[in-house]
Amino acid sequence: MDLKELQAKSGVNPDGDFGPNTMKAAMKYLKMTPFRAAHFFAQTSHECGGFHQFHEILNYSEQGLRNTFPTHFKGTEFAEYAHNATRIANRAYANRIGNGDEASGDGWKYRGRGALQVTGKANYKTFADLMGKPEIMTNPDLMETNYAFESALVFFDKKGLWAICDKGVGADVIKAVTLIINGGTLGLPDRTALTLKFYDWVKG
């Protein structure tokens, strides 16, 4: 489900805008505590541009490629691949996270989608199996259109994130959640600000 579907299921106007009313209704619908809701929606909001972009944008310029994938291209390739999202994905994600080589097209087929930007054939397979939805593998767009939030919920379950969320919204907790989701601390200031804002919306 995307944001509008989540809003509809939560009993609020499905206008696609994420505010306090949606947050409170979604928290109740998903049976989350304020701590869990704050972390979950802050991290997913950061990952998908405020719930407006449920697929990865790969239309990088030459400089953007140098900044984002500095080790996956070399020499004139940065210019040759620039602004070709399909080619960029197929090269950048080749031979890792379960994908085949560049020619396989897996990089583009299994690019980041969903509220937590699930990326790579292996990760798609994990979520497809856990959700009992094998059709995701042949129609990966479903991760964006039908299972955007479900895949994020599964990730939180699988990675044991709820237990960390239960420790509160302190800086150390937000960083711990971020490290598991991001593999680093990219975007930590925004993730922190969102977590605190969202917790303030629902803490009672």
Side-chain angles (χ1 to χ4, degrees), residues 29 38 44 52 56-57 64 69 72 86 90 93 95 119 130 135 148:
Y29 171 71
T44 51
H52 296 298
E56 186 176 12
I57 301 298
F69 298 111
H72 294 81
T86 302
N90 287 334
Y93 295 136
N95 300 309
T119 306
L130 287 170
E135 63 269 24

Side-chain angles (χ1 to χ4, degrees), residues 38-39 42 169 174 190-200:
H39 284 288
V169 291
I174 297 171
D190 182 57
R191 296 173 198 265
T192 299
L194 287 170
T195 303
L196 296 176
K197 180 175 77 171
F198 291 169
Y199 179 65
D200 190 53

Side-chain angles (χ1 to χ4, degrees), residues 126-185:
T126 295
F127 289 113
D129 290 346
L130 287 170
M131 291 189 285
K133 303 291 183 182
E135 63 269 24
I136 287 173
M137 299 310 294
T138 54
N139 184 11
D141 284 336
L142 290 172
M143 192 70 81
E144 174 186 353
T145 59
N146 290 44
Y147 308 117
F149 283 104
E150 287 89 344
S151 62
L153 289 165
V154 167
F155 184 91
F156 268 66
D157 287 337
K158 183 174 182 289
K159 296 294 185 178
L161 281 165
W162 300 123
I164 300 174
C165 296
D166 290 342
K167 296 178 180 179
V169 291
D172 56 335
V173 181
I174 297 171
K175 183 177 180 180
V177 173
T178 298
L179 283 168
I180 293 173
I181 290 173
N182 177 252
T185 56

Side-chain angles (χ1 to χ4, degrees), residues 12-63:
V12 296
N13 180 36
D15 58 9
D17 290 328
F18 190 80
N21 289 339
T22 291
M23 175 102 182
K24 291 174 183 177
M27 180 179 75
K28 183 178 180 180
Y29 171 71
L30 295 171
K31 297 180 173 61
M32 291 180 176
T33 65
F35 284 153
R36 292 186 177 194
H39 284 288
F40 179 80
F41 287 109
Q43 293 289 341
T44 51
S45 177
H46 176 84
E47 290 289 337
C48 59
F51 306 116
H52 296 298
Q53 195 66 55
F54 288 91
H55 62 267
E56 186 176 12
I57 301 298
L58 288 152
N59 187 30
Y60 290 106
S61 65
E62 179 180 350
Q63 189 57 51

